[in-house]
Every structure is written in structure tokens, then in C-alpha cells.
Amino acid sequence: MKKLLLSAVFALTLCFAAKAQDETVTENPGEVKETKALTIDELKAQRAELVAMLKSEEFQKVLAKADALKAPKDAGIAGVDALAGMVTTMLTQLKENRQLIPQMYASVTGQTIDGLPTTEVKPLSPDQLMNFSKLCLSMGSNLLKSSKDLITLPGEIKSAGLMKGIKGLKSLMYIKSSIGALKQEISFNSKMINNLIATNKLAMAANTTK
């Protein structure tokens, strides 16, 4: 019976290894590559697209999925536990900082995400905007590393024995789901903050020339 269970765990692990590429992150999702400087109108149009994405049912499901993920207990496999800990930290950081996007949006544009005028939001400095951008870049870099490590972890599970193997497989399923959700939210945050930084620079330049 034990051999059958061990074989089943190994089979699932191999299956997971084959599908692990599905969540591979090939580039830093926190890095936004703009080929040209955008005008105020182009930035406004881009923000409208990002707001529509934020409000979409699909993206809200991504956020809900991320919030519903529960970190598994340690499997006793060093590489698996380290990676699970890293993605858990990033999930927590994103959730704790999620309210910053609406605050930054209102500070720069003078409107809420819903397009309503606001005078109650404390203005944020360019340094505060840049610090959030740097956080997104750092998280994206960690996610890129995590994605690469994910591909190699099934080998550790296969050699860990039955009980650790079962726990390790559960952890890998959690990691895979986390990476998928993290990739999308980090990418969105980076695009929005990049837009707000560019918008703020143009607004400050316009005020300077008046």
C-alpha cells in the first residue's frame, strides 16, 4: 500500500512538473517598458484602460483568489518551504498595499478611481510614488526567481519520501496558484504607478512653466 501511495505521489509530482511551465514568469512583471513618452491625453486613455481592467470581473476574481489562498504548513523540504514562504510574503505585501493605488490615483489626478472629484486625499510626493514603483520592481524580480525555482522543485519532492512528498506536493500546488495571481497583480500595479509617475511629472512641468 505504501509503495502504491508513493508511486501515486511521484506520478502527481511528475504531472505537476510537466504543467509547472504554465506559470513560468519569463520577465519581471514589475518592469514597464515604454517605447516612447506619452502625452497627457495618452496617459489619461491608458489610465482609463487600467481602471476598466481593475473593475473587471476577471481581475476581481484574481484578487479574490489571491486573498483566499492559505499558506500550507512546512513540508520539511528546504527548497519547497523557502519558495512557499517567499510567495506568502509577497501575497501579504500586495494585500496590505492594495489601498495605495486608489490613494495614489486620487493624489495625482484629483479624482477617485470612479471618476469623482476629491479634495480629502493627502497629496503624495514624487518620492512616495517612486518608492512604490521600486517595491513593484523588487517583487517582480522575486517572482521571476520564484518561477525559475518552481521548475526544479519536483525533483526535491521525489526524493523526500512519502509523507514529506505529500506535503510538498500540496505546497507546490499553493506556490503555482500564488505565482499566477501575483504575476497579474504586480503587472497591474506597475503599469498604473508608471502611468501616475509620468502624469505627475508632466503636471509638475506644466505648473513650473506657468
Side-chain angles (χ1 to χ4, degrees):
M1 183 65 178
K2 185 176 181 179
K3 288 184 177 180
L4 286 175
L5 287 172
L6 187 59
S7 297
V9 171
F10 286 174
L12 286 171
T13 302
L14 289 172
C15 179
F16 179 88
K19 293 183 178 180
Q21 290 285 355
D22 294 346
E23 297 301 343
T24 298
V25 180
T26 57
E27 57 185 14
N28 186 342
E31 185 176 354
V32 179
K33 298 177 181 178
E34 291 288 357
T35 57
K36 65 171 185 175
L38 301 181
T39 66
I40 283 288
D41 287 341
E42 289 172 331
L43 288 167
K44 185 177 181 180
Q46 186 183 71
R47 279 198 308 279
E49 292 179 0
L50 289 169
V51 169
M53 176 183 173
L54 175 63
K55 293 182 177 181
S56 70
E57 182 179 353
E58 180 180 357
F59 192 72
Q60 287 301 312
K61 285 182 178 179
V62 170
L63 298 183
K65 178 182 177 181
D67 292 345
L69 288 169
K70 302 296 183 183
K73 295 181 179 179
D74 284 353
I77 305 172
V80 174
D81 291 340
L83 192 53
M86 180 179 288
V87 298
T88 297
T89 297
M90 287 191 283
L91 286 169
T92 301
Q93 284 181 314
L94 283 178
K95 187 174 182 179
E96 290 177 346
N97 287 292
R98 199 171 289 160
Q99 77 283 356
L100 286 178
I101 287 293
Q103 181 184 356
M104 292 175 177
Y105 186 98
S107 175
V108 172
T109 68
Q111 293 183 332
T112 67
I113 290 285
D114 294 321
L116 301 175
T118 178
T119 57
E120 299 179 1
V121 176
K122 182 180 178 181
L124 299 177
S125 69
D127 284 346
Q128 288 174 299
L129 297 177
M130 286 301 302
N131 286 339
F132 187 73
S133 178
K134 290 176 181 177
L135 175 63
C136 291
L137 278 170
S138 176
M139 292 179 69
S141 178
N142 287 336
L143 191 66
L144 181 61
K145 180 182 182 302
S146 299
S147 176
K148 291 178 179 178
D149 291 344
L150 176 65
I151 306 301
T152 65
L153 291 185
E156 289 191 43
I157 291 180
K158 291 197 316 184
S159 59
L162 178 60
M163 296 310 296
K164 286 185 178 181
I166 292 173
K167 292 180 180 179
L169 184 59
K170 182 178 180 181
S171 293
L172 254 67
M173 296 296 286
Y174 163 77
I175 293 166
K176 182 176 182 290
S177 296
S178 298
I179 287 177
L182 286 165
K183 180 169 61 176
Q184 294 183 65
E185 188 169 2
I186 291 172
S187 177
F188 169 81
N189 286 353
S190 300
K191 290 175 182 176
M192 181 61 87
I193 191 61
N194 184 71
N195 178 290
L196 293 175
I197 288 172
T199 300
N200 194 52
K201 283 182 179 179
L202 288 180
M204 290 177 67
N207 289 333
T208 300
T209 56
K210 287 181 180 180

